[in-house]
Amino acid sequence: MHVRRAQLRLDAALEGLAVVFRGAVAHPEEYNCECHWGSAEELALLKVPGTELDPDLLRRTCV
C-alpha cells in the first residue's frame, strides 16, 4: 500500500518536472570539462530532447 502511494507520488513529481522543463536541453554551443558534463558523446545526449540519460550523468550535470 505504501509502495503504491510512493510510486504515485514519484510519477506525479516526474510528470511535474517534465512539464516545467518542457523538453529543455543544453544549449547547442554548450561545453564544459569532462568531470561535470562527461565526454563529447554524453554532452551530445544532453542536447537531444526526450533522451533517457544515465543516472550518473544526471548527477554530474545537476551538481
Side-chain angles (χ1 to χ4, degrees):
M1 181 82 160
H2 293 291
V3 172
R4 177 72 181 138
R5 282 191 290 210
Q7 184 65 51
L8 290 172
R9 287 193 315 269
L10 176 59
D11 290 345
L14 291 172
E15 178 62 27
L17 284 171
V19 168
V20 168
F21 288 101
R22 293 187 244 12
V25 295
H27 189 277
E29 297 174 18
E30 185 67 59
Y31 65 92
N32 207 332
C33 62
E34 288 193 17
C35 65
H36 288 95
W37 294 93
S39 66
E41 292 82 18
E42 289 176 312
L43 180 56
L45 289 174
L46 295 172
K47 297 177 183 183
V48 179
T51 301
E52 187 170 326
L53 302 173
D54 182 84
D56 180 57
L57 178 57
L58 290 174
R59 275 190 295 280
R60 285 183 280 138
T61 57
C62 293
V63 177

